[in-house]
Amino acid sequence: MNIETPIAKAIPTGERPGSRKVYQPGVIWPDIRVPFREVAVHESAGEPPLTLYDPSGPYTDPRATIDIEKGLPRTREPWVVSRGDVEIVENPRQVKPEDNGFAQGKHLAPQFAAPRRVYRAKAGHAVTQLEYARKGIVTPEMEYVAIRENLRRQEGEPFIRDGEDFGAEIPDFVTPEFVRDQVARGLAIIPANINHTELEPMAIGRNFLVKINANIGNSAVLSTVADEVDKMVWAIRWGADTVMDLSTGRNIHNIRDWIVRNSPVPIGTVPIYQALEKVGGIAEDLTFDVFADTLIEQAEQGVDYFTIHAGVRLPYIPLTARRTTGIVSRGGSIMAKWCLAHHKESFLYERFEEICEIMRAYDVSFSLGDGLRPGSIADANDAAQFAELETLGELTQVAWRHGCQVMIEGPGHVPMHKIKANMDKQLAACHGAPFYTLGPLTTDVAPGYDHITSAIGAAMIGWFGTAMLCYVTPKEHLGLPDREDVKQGVIAYKIAAHAADLAKGHPSARAWDDALSRARFEFRWEDQFNLGLDPETAREYHDETLPKEAHKTAHFCSMCGPKFCSMKISHDIRDAAAAQNDVAEGMAQMAEKFRKVGEIDVPVGAAE
Amino acid sequence: MNIETPIAKAIPTGERPGSRKVYQPGVIWPDIRVPFREVAVHESAGEPPLTLYDPSGPYTDPRATIDIEKGLPRTREPWVVSRGDVEIVENPRQVKPEDNGFAQGKHLAPQFAAPRRVYRAKAGHAVTQLEYARKGIVTPEMEYVAIRENLRRQEGEPFIRDGEDFGAEIPDFVTPEFVRDQVARGLAIIPANINHTELEPMAIGRNFLVKINANIGNSAVLSTVADEVDKMVWAIRWGADTVMDLSTGRNIHNIRDWIVRNSPVPIGTVPIYQALEKVGGIAEDLTFDVFADTLIEQAEQGVDYFTIHAGVRLPYIPLTARRTTGIVSRGGSIMAKWCLAHHKESFLYERFEEICEIMRAYDVSFSLGDGLRPGSIADANDAAQFAELETLGELTQVAWRHGCQVMIEGPGHVPMHKIKANMDKQLAACHGAPFYTLGPLTTDVAPGYDHITSAIGAAMIGWFGTAMLCYVTPKEHLGLPDREDVKQGVIAYKIAAHAADLAKGHPSARAWDDALSRARFEFRWEDQFNLGLDPETAREYHDETLPKEAHKTAHFCSMCGPKFCSMKISHDIRDAAAAQNDVAEGMAQMAEKFRKVGEIDVPVGAAE
C-alpha cells in the first residue's frame, strides 16, 4: 500500500510558531541529544529565549527526514545492546491471523515492512530501569530524563519557587543520580521497552514535571493506519507525553506496529482488548495462555506500558452491585465477567508473578488498571474502588520484587472535596508508586465539556501529587474523538498539568508564566502568541478584533483601544517610581507627569 | 428605528430541549411566581422530572410575549410601591448629550420609548433589602429567593449531602426567614434596584447556590442595541445569573436602557467608565460631582449593582510599581491616574459616605471593585492586592452603616496554592460580605483558553466560599467576546459553580449529577442530552458517531458498539446481585447466568 500520500498530507511537521528545536548533549553519556523547544522573544525584551519541554519528537525538527514507512531513527538501540544483557530473539513471535482479527485481503492493513531486530533479556538478566537503578547504574535513559526535566536551567541558576508540594521531594535541580534514586525507590518510572528504540525517554513521578497522556485508537476501517499515526503525531505536537493505543477489532497488531515505530513517546496499551479479540470476543473463553501470548506479542513490538486490571478480584465485584453506574472500565468489566462466569479469582491476579516475568524481560512497565474506578459522582471513593486500590498496592510490591516498574491508575469521576483522599490513599496503599489518573471529572452534568469538568479535577490531583494525567476529550461519553477533540483534550490537560507544576512549586514552572506575562505587559503580541500553548488560536482570536499586522507591535490592548489601557498606564507608573529613590518625591513627580499624558479614551473591554 | 427584525432574528426564545418552564407560587406572598426549568425523563426511568435553577426569564416561556420595545413585564413594581416608602421622581434626570458620548443623528442609538415611572426612597426612608431585613421584614424578594434556592425540594424531603463547606452555614432547606437573616447580617445580597421592576430576584451569598456573572458591552457601532440585548438574553439562556454591562463610548446610556428594561437578571455596571466619557476621556478631569451624577443617572435607570473602585487609595499605588503586570483593572488604573495626577486621595474613598446615600435611595448594591487585583501569576497575593482588600473591608462596614448591600470583588490571576488564602483573607477582612471573583486564572500560559485556566480556579474558590464567579471567555486578553465566546464562558462557569456546589455539599446539588448518571447508565440518550448543560452540543457529538435515531434508544454505548459495553454488563451484575439475599449464592447464580450472555465484541473506545 502506498500510504505516503495520505500520511504526508495529514502528518503535521515543521517547527511550532516562533519556536526552534534545540538539543542538549549528555555529560555522562555525551552522545545523547535531549530535545527542547526554544521560543525566541522580541529583541526589545532583552531576554534570552524561553526553553519549553518538548515531547513532539523529530516531527518538529526541520532537519529531520520523516518517512513513516521506515519509522523514526532507532537511537536507543546502541544503548540497549551495549549493556550486554539482551539477546536477539532468533524466532520472534510470528504474526497470526487472530492478531489482526482475521482481517485478510483488502481488509488487512499493511504490515510495517522495515526490518527490525527483536530483543529480550538474556536468561537470568534483568533489563529494567528499576533493576539498573537498584544496582547503582545511571543509564543513558536516566541522564536523558534528568537533562529534560531541568529545561536547560543550570544548577545554581536562580528561580522562583513558592509552591505547596504536600510532602513531595522536588529537588532544585534534577541530577542523573536523583533520577536513578527515584527509579530505584519506585517513586518514578521511565517507561522504555527495550524494543522501542525510537523512544525519547521521559519520567513519570511525583517529583518530576506532571505529564499527560492522550488516548488514540483505530476504528474499524482500513484507512486508520494513516489516521492513527497522524493522531499520535498530532497529540504529541500539542504536548502529549505518552500515548495509549486503545485500538480494538481488526488490524490491531499491524496498526500498533506503525504507531510504535513512529512514536518518540512511550506507547501504552490494554492487552486484554487484543486477548479478547483472539477468543472471538467471548470473555469467558479468555485464558492465561492467550493473555500471556498477547503480552509477548506486544512486548516484542515495543509497547512501553501495559494497563493490567489485576486488581479486579472476585470478592470486589458484588461491591459494585448497588453503584449508580456499575463498572465503567472496559478492562474491568471484561475481567468481572470472566470471574463471574467461572466463579473464580481473576487469572491476572492469581498468575501475576508470571506476568511480571514477561514484563521484566522487555522492561514493559505496569500501569495497574483501576477496573473498579467510579463512573459517576455518586460512586466516588466507594468500597469497591478503595478495595481494588489496596490490591494494587499489594501487587506493586510483587512487581517490584520482580524488578518491574509500576504506576497505578486512578479515577474517574470525583467531586472536588473527595479528590485529595484519592491521592492520600494511593500514596499510603501503593508505597509511593506514581499515580496516573483519568481526570477526575468533578461533575457529571456537562456531556460535551468533560475536558473542562475533568481539567478541574486533573489540575487539583496533579497538585496533590499525581504524576501523569490521562486526558479526557470533549467527546467523552458521547462518541469517538476526532483530530480537533484530541487537540482540545491535550490543551486542557497541558493547562491542568502546568497549573499543578506551578502550585507544587516545580522550579521549572514559573519561568513560563512570567515570560508570557511580561510579553503581555509590554505589548509584545507576537511573543504572547508564541509563548502560549496554542499560538495559532491566540493569533486568530486577536486578529478577529484587530486584524492589521501593525496592531501586533502596537503598545495597546485590543480590548481598550489605541489611546488607553490599564497596562499602559501602570507601565508608566512603574517606570516613574523605579526612577525615584524617595517614593514621596517620585509620587509628586508622577503627579506632574500624568497631567501631561493627555486624553484617555476607554472603549469596550471584556473585563473591567 | 425598527429594531424588530434584527432582534427577532437574533434573540433566542422558546424552551430548552426536553425542558418545560414551570412556576411555584409564594406562601407569604401568594402572587409571586418563581420560575424553574423542569427536565422530563423517559417514562422507563420511573422518575419525576428534575428541577433546575432557571435565570433565563420569560424568554424561555412559550406563553410569554416578547417585545423588547416594551420591555419585560414590571412584575416587581407593585411590591416596591406597596411598601409605601418610595416616591415617584417628578423630575427624573433628563438624558444629556454627554450621557451618550455626544452621539447624534444617525449615530445616536434610539431611546427606549415605553413610558416608565422612576422611583426613589422618600426622604428619611431606607429602601434596601438590608434595611428591611434588619427590621424583620420578609420581603417578596426574600421569599422569592428562598423558593428559588430549594429547586422545588420540599422541606424534610431526603437528599444527599456529603460536602466540605469550610465553615459555611448552608441549611438543609432555605426558608424566607433564613434569607432575611442572611441579608440582615450582610452575608448575602439581593441586588434589586427599585427601578428594575422587571427583575426576578436572586441571592448572592456563601450559603446559597454559587452564581455566575457574564460580561457584555457594546462596541462603537449603532447596531449594538440589538446585539447587546441579544447577548444578554443569550448569556442568561445558558445560565448566567447576573450580567454586567461594561459598555463604554457612544450610546452608553441608551443601550443600557434597552438592556435593563429587557433583563430578568440583575444588571451591574462600572459607573466610572461613563463618568470618564463625560469628561472627554481625561481621567484628571474626573470630579465627584460628575461621578455622583452618573450614579443617579444609572440608579434611575435601574442598574442593580455598581462596581466602585474605592479601595484604590493613593498610598497603595506605589505598591504596584514593581509588579510584573502593574494595574490590570480599567477602573483601578483610571483612579490610580487621577490620584497620581492630583497627588490626592481618591474621591471615591474620601466621599464614600455620600456615595452610600445615593445607593441607599434606590437599593443599588455595592460591588466593591478590586482595582489592584493581580494580572499575572507573578503578582498574586501581593501587598497591593491585600492592602486594597483591607480597605474594602473597612468600606463594607461604612456601607452597612448606611444600610447598603455589599459584595466584594476578587482576583484575577492566582496559582492554585494561593487561592484559599484569598478566600480566607476576604472572609476575615470583609466581615462575611459575599465574595465575587474573576476566575481566578491558575496559569498565564494559555491565551485562547482562559475560560479553562480560570474555570479551574473558579471551581476551587467557589468551593472555598466565593458566592459569585465572574466568567472569563476564550477571548480574554486577546479580543472582544462574540456570541459563541459568551456561551463558552457561561458553560465553563456553570461547570465551575456546580462543581463548587457539589463539593460544598449544597443540598440541591447532587440530584442533578445523579439524574444524569442514571440516564447514562440506563442508556437513556435523550435524557442524558437534555439533562446536560448543553443538550444541542451533546446530541451533535453523539450523532457524529451514531447518527441514527434508533441509536438514541439503543442499550449500548456509541464508543463500544452494539454488542458490549462496560455499563451493560455491570447493569446485569447489579440486577442479579440485587435479587439475591445470599451474596455467595447470588454470585454462583450469576456465574451461571453470564455463561449464557454469549459473545462479547469490543470495538474502539475513548477510555479503557
Side-chain angles (χ1 to χ4, degrees), chain A residues 142-206:
Chain A
M142 294 173 199
E143 188 184 25
Y144 195 105
V145 161
I147 293 169
R148 204 165 193 184
E149 292 279 328
N150 290 319
L151 303 184
R152 299 207 295 174
R153 224 173 8 96
Q154 300 300 307
E155 192 159 10
E157 207 176 295
F159 58 89
I160 295 172
R161 179 175 186 172
D162 67 354
E164 161 59 59
D165 64 9
F166 299 103
E169 297 168 359
I170 303 165
D172 287 351
F173 188 78
V174 180
T175 61
E177 170 56 23
F178 178 80
V179 176
R180 188 205 59 74
D181 180 65
Q182 291 282 303
V183 172
R185 291 160 64 195
L187 302 179
I189 66 171
I190 300 175
N193 185 322
I194 55 171
N195 287 309
H196 189 189
T197 51
E198 301 84 354
L199 184 77
E200 297 178 350
M202 52 78 75
I204 301 167
R206 185 184 175 204

Side-chain angles (χ1 to χ4, degrees), chain A residues 10-26:
Chain A
I11 289 188
T13 57
E15 288 170 327
R16 301 280 303 276
S19 297
R20 198 165 69 94
K21 189 99 178 180
V22 295
Y23 297 92
Q24 183 175 334

Side-chain angles (χ1 to χ4, degrees), chain B residues 123-421:
Chain B
H125 283 269
V127 298
T128 65
Q129 296 290 320
L130 174 55
E131 287 286 12
Y132 298 135
R134 284 171 173 168
K135 288 176 189 153
I137 299 168
V138 172
T139 61
E141 289 85 351
M142 294 171 200
E143 188 185 24
Y144 195 105
V145 161
I147 292 168
R148 204 165 195 186
E149 292 279 330
N150 290 320
L151 303 185
R152 299 207 294 173
R153 226 174 5 99
Q154 300 300 306
E155 192 158 11
E157 206 176 296
F159 58 88
I160 295 172
R161 180 174 185 172
D162 66 354
E164 160 60 57
D165 64 10
F166 299 102
E169 296 168 1
I170 303 164
D172 286 352
F173 188 78
V174 180
T175 63
E177 170 56 23
F178 177 80
V179 175
R180 189 205 59 72
D181 180 66
Q182 291 283 303
V183 172
R185 292 160 65 194
L187 303 181
I189 67 171
I190 300 176
N193 186 322
I194 55 172
N195 288 309
H196 189 189
T197 51
E198 302 84 353
L199 184 76
E200 298 177 351
M202 52 77 75
I204 300 168
R206 185 185 176 204
N207 297 318
F208 296 96
L209 289 160
V210 176
K211 306 303 189 298
I212 68 168
N213 171 71
N215 293 333
I216 61 172
N218 73 304
S219 52
V221 288
L222 187 60
S223 68
T224 49
V225 165
D227 287 353
E228 293 310 306
V229 173
D230 166 59
K231 227 182 264 178
M232 178 272 291
V233 175
W234 184 241
I236 64 178
R237 184 174 180 84
W238 292 106
D241 294 292
T242 80
V243 166
M244 288 195 78
D245 174 15
L246 302 183
S247 294
T248 55
R250 286 179 174 174
N251 293 312
I252 183 169
H253 178 99
N254 285 2
I255 289 172
R256 189 186 309 120
D257 247 355
W258 286 91
I259 291 172
V260 175
R261 299 283 76 77
N262 285 288
S263 175
V265 303
I267 297 296
T269 62
V270 187
I272 199 83
Y273 295 174
Q274 190 177 15
L276 189 66
E277 296 289 344
K278 292 181 182 175
V279 295
I282 301 172
E284 300 89 312
D285 291 351
L286 281 167
T287 64
F288 180 77
D289 291 342
V290 169
F291 187 74
D293 171 68
T294 307
L295 295 186
I296 291 166
E297 171 190 352
Q298 298 194 15
E300 288 188 353
Q301 285 185 297
V303 172
D304 300 285
Y305 62 90
F306 289 155
T307 292
I308 297 188
H309 297 94
V312 180
R313 296 191 56 190
L314 179 62
Y316 304 156
I317 300 169
L319 298 177
T320 67
R322 284 177 180 77
R323 278 182 160 185
T324 296
T325 48
I327 299 174
V328 296
S329 152
R330 258 199 291 172
S333 66
I334 292 165
M335 289 313 300
K337 190 165 186 181
W338 187 93
C339 291
L340 288 177
H342 298 280
H343 200 215
K344 269 192 186 165
E345 186 56 274
S346 159
F347 60 81
L348 299 179
Y349 178 78
E350 294 207 318
R351 302 182 70 172
F352 190 72
E353 300 204 66
E354 292 168 74
I355 295 171
C356 292
E357 285 303 301
I358 297 170
M359 308 281 273
R360 150 192 165 106
Y362 306 89
D363 198 8
V364 182
S365 297
F366 277 102
S367 186
L368 290 175
D370 56 335
L372 303 182
R373 68 168 173 267
S376 57
I377 292 297
D379 296 340
N381 294 20
D382 74 354
Q385 182 194 338
F386 286 143
E388 181 186 37
L389 186 60
E390 292 290 334
T391 298
L392 299 185
E394 170 198 330
L395 296 172
T396 297
Q397 291 186 305
V398 176
W400 282 350
R401 275 204 306 276
H402 288 264
C404 296
Q405 303 191 87
V406 183
M407 62 180 169
I408 310 290
E409 296 185 8
H413 292 238
V414 185
M416 283 190 286
H417 64 294
K418 293 185 179 176
I419 292 176
K420 187 141 194 307

Side-chain angles (χ1 to χ4, degrees), chain A residues 15 140 172 181 255 325 400 408 411 439 453 527 537 557 579 607:
Chain A
E15 288 170 327
D172 287 351
D181 180 65
I255 289 171
T325 46
W400 282 349
I408 310 290
T453 65
D527 292 353
T537 296
C557 166

